[in-house]
Amino acid sequence: MSTATAELDAAGITARRLREDYLRCRGLHAHHGRTYYTATRVLPPERRPGIHALYGFARWVDDIVDEPAPGTTIEDRRSRLDRIDADLAAALSGAEPAEPVLRALAHTVRRYALPPEYFTAFMASMRMDLTETGYRDLAHLREYMYGSAAVIGLQVLPVLGTVAPREEAAPHAAALGEAFQLTNFLRDVAEDLGRGRVYLPADTLDRHDVDRALLEHCAGTRAPDPRVRRAVAELVQVNRDLYRLAEPGVAMLEPVARPCVATALRLYRAILDEIAAADFDVWSVRHRVSDTRKMAAAVPALARSLWARAVPRPRSSTP
């Protein structure tokens, strides 16, 4: 029996087509979210399909916005997002969507009673990517990150389970979603520039005499500039502060879920360590955590997860 099959069996997902839908989401997660996917491997099997569905949906929509087919216009993409909105609303009302990813997502939303407004906020941020090319300050960027990242943390919270009231854990989960995304923004400055976007706040760049032309020069030459290094260093510190805000939330999760989130936090924060070790050069190499380092984090986390499963505790009933 494969691991994927065992996960679906453990989650009680028996309908053939629905199993295929979840496998589609699992594949998206494994391909596009390798760091977080590694962390989810230490979750109890029955909780993994829900995480895969949530990540798979987010990735699927993000690819519609960021990886359009040649000749696709902004209006084409906006129309596609409109159709997804309509299909998702219908699915959450009990209709059967045509898209596999939406079927898995709707099943997960019903199973864990996830608020529809999380997905409304997510889709709003995806629409921002169609027109926004920069953000004036951190507050403006966080408006975008609420829908694109913070709500992802809020969505997975019921799947992971909490021992504290969920409203106490929620701000930490939202902060962790933002922290993960800001790490991606710092790592992928050149890639985002290629799409015409800058996710580094303009006021931070201004303080260090950095403009878009300088960023494009660095991307084109694959060489850092001292001014950009200083701007990246400042934002790395902002990012570290977000991880510190998120960290107390790990202890608020059910014991079986803590190793997964702690591992994801550790691995993503390690990307910041790699950036700092390179003297904040985000141009000459795409910083990543090695497979060896991932396994070094995942193996002890798996041991902690297995121990926690051996001493089960009741799930929090707090909505």
Side-chain angles (χ1 to χ4, degrees):
M1 181 187 297
S2 70
T3 300
T5 299
E7 291 171 359
L8 295 169
D9 289 345
I13 299 168
T14 58
R16 181 185 61 80
R17 188 168 72 163
L18 189 57
R19 288 168 73 91
E20 292 173 354
D21 298 337
Y22 272 98
L23 290 175
R24 165 69 173 148
C25 293
R26 188 180 193 271
L28 287 167
H29 194 180
H31 180 71
H32 292 288
R34 290 187 291 268
T35 298
Y36 188 48
Y37 178 79
T38 298
T40 62
R41 301 284 286 159
V42 304
L43 274 177
E46 69 273 10
R47 303 198 192 184
R48 296 175 201 163
I51 302 295
H52 297 325
L54 293 168
Y55 186 95
F57 168 74
R59 187 72 230 189
W60 176 63
V61 176
D62 192 63
D63 281 351
I64 290 169
V65 173
D66 282 351
E67 305 292 342
T72 303
T73 66
I74 288 178
E75 192 53 45
D76 291 335
R77 284 177 279 172
R78 183 178 288 111
S79 296
R80 184 76 190 278
L81 294 181
D82 289 343
R83 290 197 299 274
I84 291 171
D85 262 338
D87 290 346
L88 180 58
L92 298 184
S93 297
E96 183 81 355
E99 292 284 353
V101 172
L102 285 179
R103 287 195 296 266
L105 177 73
H107 182 265
T108 291
V109 169
R110 289 192 297 268
R111 180 173 188 167
Y112 294 100
L114 301 181
E117 54 264 30
Y118 290 165
F119 302 94
T120 302
F122 172 76
M123 295 299 291
S125 287
M126 294 301 97
R127 284 187 173 82
M128 288 177 71
D129 270 336
L130 297 178
T131 55
E132 292 283 356
T133 58
Y135 294 85
R136 60 182 176 270
D137 52 30
L138 187 60
H140 188 202
L141 180 62
R142 291 187 75 176
E143 288 177 23
Y144 169 80
M145 290 201 299
Y146 174 75
S148 64
V151 295
I152 307 298
L154 296 173
Q155 288 168 15
V156 303
L157 199 55
V159 182
L160 299 173
T162 61
V163 294
R166 195 174 297 162
E167 63 270 18
E168 291 182 17
H172 304 287
L176 188 58
E178 289 188 18
F180 286 163
Q181 186 164 65
L182 186 52
T183 298
N184 287 339
F185 289 160
L186 289 166
R187 180 192 61 192
D188 298 334
V189 180
E191 183 178 326
D192 292 329
L193 272 169
R195 298 188 176 107
R197 303 189 200 122
V198 175
Y199 290 107
L200 308 185
D203 63 340
T204 302
L205 298 178
D206 289 344
R207 281 195 294 275
H208 299 281
D209 197 26
V210 176
D211 58 15
R212 186 181 290 256
L214 179 57
L215 295 176
E216 290 174 347
H217 172 76
C218 291
T221 60
R222 294 176 59 86
D225 178 279
R227 292 164 291 178
V228 180
R229 289 185 194 269
R230 290 192 291 270
V232 171
E234 180 177 334
L235 290 168
V236 164
Q237 186 55 52
V238 170
N239 204 166
R240 291 194 191 280
D241 290 342
L242 278 172
Y243 280 115
R244 277 192 286 272
L245 177 59
E247 203 160 16
V250 175
M252 298 180 182
L253 299 173
E254 288 192 9
V256 293
R258 291 173 198 165
C260 166
V261 177
T263 299
L265 191 155
R266 185 178 304 113
L267 291 175
Y268 263 91
R269 191 158 52 186
I271 296 172
L272 295 183
D273 296 337
E274 295 292 328
I275 292 172
D279 195 19
F280 307 101
D281 170 12
V282 292
W283 310 103
S284 63
V285 63
R286 187 176 190 270
H287 297 286
R288 59 183 293 275
V289 180
S290 69
D291 291 341
T292 299
R293 190 167 182 178
K294 287 179 185 176
M295 291 307 299
V299 169
L302 178 59
R304 292 193 300 274
S305 179
L306 291 171
W307 174 256
R309 290 179 221 175
V311 188
R313 300 185 186 184
R315 291 175 62 89
S316 169
S317 60
T318 304

